[in-house]
Amino acid sequence: MPGATPHIIVFANEKGGTGKSTTAVHVAIALAAKGARVACLDLDHRQRTVGRYLDNRAETVKRTGAELPMPAHATHTSQSEDGFQDLWGRLSEGTDYLVVDTPGRDDQFARTAATLSNTLVTPINDSFVDFDLIGQVDPETYQVKRPSFYSELIWDVRKQRARADGTTIDWVVLRNRLQHIEARNMRRVSDALGQLSKRVGFRLIPGLGERVIYREMFPAGLTMIDSKAFGSMGLAHVAARQELREMMAALQLPDPVATEPAIPGVAA
């Protein structure tokens, strides 16, 4: 159970457009909704998607008076190691979870965050374009030939952490934007991910689907946790909430200190 030292959840992928920031926000809000003390650190000072998302959420609370779970959050804008360490320390203090979103590019602070993580989440879209980040396949058989540079990077990060303090980083590859219709390419990607997971040691879990609703919620800073803010819920909302429920369960995060009743529809 999280205590004085927060459980660090880092969302990292050097390729953009994988739903990384949207997933990070939903995980943070889902944890906060269960009574955990949550802080979010946005390391992407250019796009600042998580920071803007939570700023929009704070404005919605101010404008409407709605009672929404609200993590503390900050965006790292300094280029100095001291500035990074100071912000990391301030956000970590008194929290159960620190959720970190990283840029979709190689970044020195993203590498540091990955090294400090307890749970390292790499979202990918369900295609061989995204798969190429972590592994290479034979173009005819679609069998995995070798891990890619990023897999080797994470392998090294996990070894460094194990040597430093004996911690095992739980590396989770999260399949976002899964198609809802079974297709041959989907099966091939699934088979390749299964092969690679055995070679480099990540867990493979389902993420969030490709739904317009996720993009529509950004201006108000809402998530699928905030059912009361939607009024009536359509089938897309119900399906998306189920996706979130399944994803949170599959992440296997340590239980938060429950100070409030669990939000309906969110797995405890």
Side-chain angles (χ1 to χ4, degrees):
M1 182 176 292
T5 302
H7 187 87
I8 309 296
I9 309 166
V10 175
F11 288 80
N13 186 330
E14 291 185 7
K15 182 183 181 301
T18 60
K20 178 168 53 62
S21 300
T22 298
T23 308
V25 168
H26 274 75
V27 168
I29 299 299
L31 291 170
K34 292 196 288 186
R37 300 166 297 175
V38 183
C40 293
L41 174 58
D42 192 341
L43 293 181
D44 191 350
H45 66 276
R46 295 179 185 174
Q47 286 197 307
R48 197 174 171 267
T49 304
V50 166
R52 287 284 299 130
Y53 207 125
L54 294 175
D55 284 347
N56 293 345
R57 187 176 181 84
E59 285 298 317
T60 294
V61 170
K62 181 179 178 181
R63 184 179 67 255
T64 67
E67 294 184 3
L68 302 176
M70 187 74 209
H73 70 283
T75 299
H76 177 246
T77 57
S78 170
Q79 293 302 305
S80 73
E81 184 67 28
D82 287 344
F84 170 79
Q85 294 291 345
D86 178 66
L87 184 56
W88 185 282
R90 286 191 284 116
L91 286 175
S92 297
E93 187 174 357
T95 60
D96 299 311
Y97 299 94
L98 176 60
V99 177
V100 184
D101 189 36
T102 62
R105 60 182 183 274
D106 186 24
D107 177 89
Q108 69 178 95
F109 300 113
R111 291 193 182 202
T112 301
T115 304
L116 296 171
S117 67
N118 300 107
T119 302
L120 179 63
V121 185
T122 301
I124 66 170
N125 294 330
D126 206 46
S127 74
F128 279 112
V129 174
D130 279 32
F131 181 88
D132 194 65
L133 175 80
I134 57 175
Q136 298 176 16
V137 298
D138 184 278
E140 295 182 352
T141 65
Y142 296 97
Q143 295 296 300
V144 173
K145 295 193 298 182
R146 65 180 67 88
S148 293
F149 169 78
Y150 192 74
S151 287
E152 294 172 350
L153 171 65
I154 300 304
W155 179 263
D156 289 340
V157 162
R158 297 169 82 190
K159 287 194 297 184
Q160 290 175 30
R161 183 65 180 277
R163 285 196 297 265
D165 62 9
T167 297
T168 300
I169 297 175
D170 183 17
W171 185 21
V172 179
V173 172
L174 185 145
R175 297 177 71 184
N176 266 344
R177 295 170 177 161
L178 284 169
Q179 299 299 313
H180 301 290
I181 299 175
E182 181 73 6
R184 182 172 59 180
N185 184 71
M186 180 178 174
R187 292 194 299 272
R188 285 172 172 169
V189 173
S190 180
D191 290 344
L193 284 167
Q195 294 173 44
L196 188 60
S197 68
K198 296 174 182 177
R199 292 180 62 172
V200 298
F202 58 75
R203 291 195 297 116
L204 188 63
I205 70 170
L208 304 180
E210 177 59 49
R211 299 184 186 279
V212 175
I213 185 63
Y214 292 118
R215 294 188 289 273
E216 292 178 340
M217 292 187 298
F218 175 82
L222 296 176
T223 71
M224 294 314 305
I225 307 300
D226 310 306
S227 58
K228 292 182 180 179
F230 292 119
S232 60
M233 292 179 65
L235 290 177
H237 295 83
V238 174
R241 283 171 68 85
Q242 179 62 25
E243 289 172 353
L244 178 58
R245 228 181 350 250
E246 293 174 356
M247 182 186 74
M248 292 300 298
L251 281 171
Q252 300 176 12
L253 300 172
D255 290 335
V257 180
T259 58
E260 299 289 341
I263 299 298
V266 180

